[in-house]
Amino acid sequence: PLHPHTPLFISHALIKAQAKDYVRETQINLILQPIINELTTQFGSLENLSDYFAQILSNLRGKTPKETGYAAGNTLNLLHHAQIELSGFDFSGLTLWQAYLQGVHLHNVNFSNSDLSHCVFTETLGNILYTTFSPDGHLLVTCDTDCNVRLWEVKTGKLLLICQGHTNWVRFVVFSPDGEILASCGADCTVKLWNVSDGVCIKTLTGHGHETFAVAFSPDGDILASASGDRTVKLWNIRDGYCIKTLVGHTDWVRCVAFSSDGNIVASSGADHLIKLWDVESGECLQTLTEHQSWIRSIAFSPNGQILASGSGDRTIKIWNYETGECIKTYTGHTNSVYSVAFSPSGEILVSGSGDRTVKLWDCHTHTCTKTLHKQTNEVCCVAFSPDNQTIACVSLDQTMRLWDYPSGQCLKTWQGNTDWALPVTFSPDGQILASGSNDKTIKLWDWQTGKCLLSLQGHTDFIYGIAFSPDGHILASASTDSTVRLWNVNTGKCFQILQGHTDWAYTVAFHPKGEAIASGSADCTMKLWDWHTGQCFKNLIGHTDKIFTIVFSPDGQILASASADQTVKLWNCETGDCITTLQAHDARVYTAIFSPDGQTLATCSTDQTIKLWDWQTGKCLKTFTEHTNWVFAIAFSPDGQTLASASHDQTVRIWDVKTGKCQHICIGHMHLVSAVAFHPEGKIIASGSQDQTVRTWDIKTGECIRILIAKRLYEGMRITNTKGLTDATILTLQSLGAVV
């Protein structure tokens, strides 16, 4: 094999960072790994090998790029694949061409004055929710839970631009037909238009009274249609930004919208299981298609305009003659909800993405499934065809986006996101430990008084959305989007039990006050009661019609409350498993429900931006708190029940007097959406978790921040001063992941 002291080591890259995924994997297996194997044998230990590579870098320093060539980039790739700790390595002033650094921990690595051309880094933070190609196929645009729109170069995978301006999750983005404008929409109820050339926002279209879920340009680019949770579709004049028409007729959230190829008809569909076809000129509803049995998340007209395809939560895809209203064919084969459908530019193939983690290709002539792509690592929420008819982009809900060569079924490129978004936070019963769960698949146990991370609990294969301590504080339970609940020994950090049975994301977990049972709630719309000693589920509670975000026991352990995306809170008898009461709690998703310490009052919060207090026995709403200006994600009562704390996507934590309903303090400091809040057992401190990757503690008397807890991010302390070869957008993202300019 090639040795690092041969001329080839300088003149040739051992792996090409920007090569197609399957090519790079072959290069690693056939070139890189044999070199590592021989060097390991030769040097006897990783420590000796590390010293050898450090010597190579030292010898390269001070030489011209022509003299050093690919040597530094090759060394970095060898170090990583030899599993040598990279922390503290000095690559300053070197040409690091073709280094593949996506997902690689680069703590305190020095790249100052280096040339990082053609290197690949982790470049996304939040979950990507949607993607589509530009009309010429050269660009790809994504939108995400990080509230950004990002523009990528398809050939190199390079991040070109970040469009910033949305104040909540961006759900959908699309190019204008001429490729010069982007339209995006999202949970902040707005539609924004952006210049593709520089990422500047041209217009913000306001008027929807709820989240906007989808937008579509007319074929001539003059009109934009938007679909919203306010049950309407709006048609906008692009030039002046005015709403031309509001199409009214849906009875629930409108999730998607599409124009026919001639631009005369706009189709819309959503949570009411209906597809409606509207005349663009008159605004009249021409046809309602009614055969789906669940919400419809995606619709697409064929390029020739003859048929319409729809994907639904009923696990089917339907092909329609939309002029007659006849369903021509129903495609079955997906084993979970169909989130996305798209036609190939030729119209001969339909691609579908599903919650079953597969992508399927369907022949539109024979109506048969011709290929299934299985390598997606989570639910597939979006699929898109490139204009060249060869490539499919697929977005999974685990921060990955992949490009596939669909004729061969080979993966060409993967973008892997990374964030330590602190979702749930909770104090141990004795108040000594603060636990936080994260998008990075770990749970951190903190000494909150010193800010030191005591333990990192690793084992979940996906995001952690729920955590709870047992009443004695010895056990921590965690609920994850890998559909499992894990039980951990707090002292050792070891997982000793996995509770399996949910068929979809597990969002929430709670211990019974006596500590013998655990309850969990899931996106599969069920709650389960478990004997944690045996890992057996002994009761299944069914009644919600959408995902369950929070479950909580009453202080006496007799009642269980559940908050759901179906806009209700249900109260259950723990003994019998019967639903006692259903509160029509909010006008939008209910994220949290909690009992007051005396068990008399129930507090709820929602994406409708309100907090409500209830007498749960009578079902009467006692008080509504309305000062937050964005989704309220989490709430917590103080131990004495006199104070309520709330966490919101408006980036604040608020402290409320329960009796008067007055806001006593607004805690300001988080730089991103705040998603979690918890009281210390003594009631003087609250903790909050945010998408800014920090946990903060606050003094409830003053509302001031006491301490910021932050785990080491992927590129913590990595120096990129005066580097070459990085776009401004990439530098911005690397800084978010801990890099220092």
Side-chain angles (χ1 to χ4, degrees):
L2 185 69
H3 270 281
H5 49 71
T6 65
L8 279 173
F9 191 67
I10 293 167
S11 61
H12 286 70
L14 300 180
I15 65 169
K16 288 283 182 81
Q18 293 176 336
K20 291 163 181 161
D21 277 12
Y22 71 93
V23 173
R24 192 182 62 260
E25 283 160 17
T26 306
Q27 291 167 344
I28 291 166
N29 292 333
L30 297 184
I31 302 170
L32 211 62
Q33 203 54 54
I35 295 172
I36 290 166
N37 294 346
E38 179 163 315
L39 289 172
T40 307
T41 306
Q42 198 175 322
F43 285 91
S45 73
L46 287 183
E47 199 178 331
N48 291 341
L49 192 53
S50 178
D51 292 342
Y52 173 61
F53 283 130
Q55 188 59 49
I56 290 174
L57 294 174
S58 179
N59 294 341
L60 294 172
R61 200 156 277 116
K63 294 183 179 176
T64 65
K66 194 175 179 185
E67 290 173 305
T68 59
Y70 291 102
N74 285 336
T75 302
L76 182 47
N77 287 324
L78 285 165
L79 277 163
H80 168 54
H81 284 280
Q83 297 180 328
I84 290 168
E85 172 64 49
L86 290 168
S87 180
F89 259 89
D90 186 2
F91 294 94
S92 59
L94 298 175
T95 51
L96 285 145
W97 301 333
Q98 300 293 349
Y100 189 80
L101 303 169
Q102 188 161 270
V104 180
H105 287 275
L106 296 169
H107 299 159
N108 301 313
V109 172
N110 190 357
F111 290 128
S112 298
N113 303 300
S114 297
D115 185 349
L116 298 170
S117 302
H118 311 297
C119 289
V120 173
F121 290 92
T122 295
E123 291 205 68
T124 60
L125 284 171
N127 255 7
I128 297 171
L129 298 177
Y130 194 81
T131 188
T132 191
F133 288 92
S134 60
D136 63 9
H138 294 159
L139 303 175
L140 198 63
V141 66
T142 60
C143 58
D144 54 44
T145 58
D146 204 36
C147 311
N148 293 326
V149 172
R150 294 170 191 257
L151 201 63
W152 309 83
E153 189 173 57
V154 172
K155 192 178 175 187
T156 62
K158 190 184 284 186
L159 178 62
L160 302 175
L161 285 174
I162 303 176
C163 305
Q164 295 179 309
H166 280 290
T167 57
N168 208 336
W169 298 351
V170 190
R171 295 199 175 274
F172 204 94
V173 65
V174 67
F175 282 93
S176 60
D178 62 9
E180 292 181 8
I181 296 172
L182 289 168
S184 62
C185 67
D188 63 5
C189 309
T190 70
V191 176
K192 286 182 180 286
L193 302 177
W194 314 83
N195 265 336
V196 169
S197 56
D198 56 13
V200 172
C201 183
I202 312 162
K203 283 188 185 74
T204 299
L205 312 180
T206 59
H208 280 300
H210 200 283
E211 291 181 56
T212 42
F213 289 107
V215 285
F217 276 100
S218 59
D220 62 10
D222 291 343
I223 297 172
L224 187 77
S226 57
S228 169
D230 65 12
R231 307 179 180 187
T232 71
V233 173
K234 286 185 182 288
L235 302 180
W236 309 83
N237 180 308
I238 290 300
R239 274 190 299 278
D240 58 25
Y242 291 133
C243 178
I244 308 162
K245 282 186 187 69
T246 300
L247 310 179
V248 179
H250 282 287
T251 57
D252 209 332
W253 293 2
V254 190
R255 297 302 300 246
C256 34
V257 66
F259 275 95
S260 59
S261 52
D262 61 10
N264 294 330
I265 293 172
V266 68
S268 59
S269 64
D272 60 6
H273 309 180
L274 304 175
I275 300 168
K276 286 187 174 287
L277 297 151
W278 312 83
D279 183 288
V280 172
E281 192 65 39
S282 68
E284 179 195 347
C285 181
L286 305 171
Q287 187 88 250
T288 302
L289 313 180
T290 60
E291 289 190 26
H292 277 299
Q293 303 302 305
S294 184
W295 47 256
I296 301 156
R297 194 59 77 83
S298 184
I299 50 176
F301 283 96
S302 61
N304 64 10
Q306 290 180 355
I307 56 173
L308 179 77
S310 56
S312 168
D314 64 15
R315 306 180 179 186
T316 70
I317 298 156
K318 288 185 183 288
I319 307 296
W320 307 85
N321 177 330
Y322 59 88
E323 287 177 350
T324 65
E326 177 200 355
C327 178
I328 302 165
K329 203 77 187 172
T330 299
Y331 296 173
T332 57
H334 281 299
T335 57
N336 208 321
S337 301
V338 181
Y339 287 114
S340 183
V341 291
F343 280 99
S344 62
S346 66
E348 293 179 359
I349 292 165
L350 184 79
V351 62
S352 59
S354 166
D356 66 11
R357 305 188 175 199
T358 69
V359 173
K360 288 184 181 288
L361 297 158
W362 309 83
D363 185 310
C364 295
H365 298 299
T366 62
H367 300 300
T368 55
C369 179
T370 57
K371 191 170 279 165
T372 302
L373 306 177
H374 286 287
K375 287 185 185 173
Q376 301 300 141
T377 47
N378 208 308
E379 300 190 9
V380 182
C381 65
C382 176
V383 289
F385 250 106
S386 66
D388 68 3
N389 222 36
Q390 295 298 302
T391 312
I392 298 169
C394 301
V395 173
S396 288
L397 288 177
D398 60 352
Q399 296 178 286
T400 62
M401 180 170 68
R402 291 179 175 83
L403 290 186
W404 299 87
D405 178 85
Y406 90 82
S408 68
Q410 287 176 313
C411 185
L412 304 175
K413 197 175 290 293
T414 303
W415 283 267
Q416 179 67 55
N418 180 281
T419 178
D420 304 334
W421 180 0
L423 285 151
V425 293
T426 189
F427 284 97
S428 59
D430 65 5
Q432 296 298 305
I433 295 171
L434 178 64
S436 64
S438 171
N439 271 29
D440 72 357
K441 307 173 189 176
T442 70
I443 299 139
K444 303 275 193 296
L445 301 183
W446 305 86
D447 179 333
W448 63 271
Q449 287 163 305
T450 64
K452 186 184 173 193
C453 182
L454 305 171
L455 280 173
S456 181
L457 312 183
Q458 299 179 340
H460 278 297
T461 57
D462 216 335
F463 308 157
I464 290 122
Y465 273 100
I467 50 174
F469 279 99
S470 59
D472 64 9
H474 296 326
I475 300 167
L476 185 77
S478 55
S480 166
T481 54
D482 65 13
S483 306
T484 70
V485 172
R486 283 179 178 252
L487 303 180
W488 310 82
N489 180 308
V490 172
N491 292 325
T492 65
K494 293 278 188 295
C495 173
F496 65 87
Q497 183 81 262
I498 303 174
L499 310 180
Q500 293 176 309
H502 283 299
T503 57
D504 208 333
W505 295 5
Y507 274 109
T508 176
V509 64
F511 273 92
H512 189 276
K514 289 184 179 162
E516 293 306 301
I518 285 176
S520 61
S522 164
D524 65 12
C525 306
T526 72
M527 282 165 294
K528 293 181 184 294
L529 294 176
W530 311 81
D531 179 331
W532 67 260
H533 298 283
T534 63
Q536 295 294 314
C537 171
F538 63 84
K539 211 171 247 98
N540 224 9
L541 310 181
I542 299 170
H544 282 293
T545 57
D546 207 338
K547 53 183 79 100
I548 296 157
F549 289 126
T550 303
I551 46 171
V552 62
F553 285 99
S554 59
D556 62 10
Q558 292 179 16
I559 307 290
L560 185 72
S562 55
S564 167
D566 67 11
Q567 308 185 11
T568 71
V569 171
K570 288 183 181 285
L571 294 141
W572 310 78
N573 181 311
C574 291
E575 193 67 39
T576 64
D578 295 332
C579 180
I580 310 161
T581 310
T582 300
L583 302 176
Q584 302 298 326
H586 290 269
D587 297 328
R589 293 186 291 276
V590 189
Y591 262 100
T592 307
I594 51 167
F595 284 99
S596 58
D598 64 7
Q600 297 300 304
T601 310
L602 191 75
T604 61
C605 66
S606 165
T607 57
D608 69 6
Q609 307 184 10
T610 68
I611 301 157
K612 295 188 179 187
L613 296 182
W614 305 82
D615 179 331
W616 62 267
Q617 285 159 312
T618 64
K620 187 184 172 193
C621 180
L622 306 172
K623 221 176 245 106
T624 303
F625 304 159
T626 58
E627 288 180 33
H628 277 297
T629 58
N630 210 324
W631 294 358
V632 187
F633 230 75
I635 43 177
F637 274 109
S638 59
D640 63 8
Q642 303 295 307
T643 308
L644 189 77
S646 58
S648 168
H649 275 198
D650 64 13
Q651 304 188 10
T652 70
V653 173
R654 285 176 185 258
I655 298 167
W656 309 82
D657 183 303
V658 172
K659 268 204 186 88
T660 64
K662 285 197 175 141
C663 179
Q664 296 174 311
H665 297 291
I666 303 171
C667 305
I668 295 168
H670 279 299
M671 309 299 288
H672 215 310
L673 318 177
V674 190
S675 306
V677 67
F679 264 93
H680 186 271
E682 288 174 7
K684 294 173 185 170
I685 305 282
I686 51 172
S688 59
S690 165
Q691 203 168 322
D692 67 8
Q693 308 181 73
T694 70
V695 174
R696 287 175 182 251
T697 53
W698 311 83
D699 184 317
I700 95 154
K701 277 205 175 75
T702 64
E704 286 174 7
C705 181
I706 302 165
R707 186 164 274 108
I708 302 170
L709 312 179
I710 184 160
K712 271 192 177 179
R713 292 162 291 181
L714 193 67
Y715 300 143
E716 198 72 50
M718 177 177 93
R719 298 203 68 82
I720 51 169
T721 313
N722 298 325
T723 51
K724 288 186 210 160
L726 298 178
T727 66
D728 290 345
T730 295
I731 290 167
L732 200 62
T733 309
L734 297 182
Q735 283 180 281
S736 305
L737 291 167
V740 182
V741 174

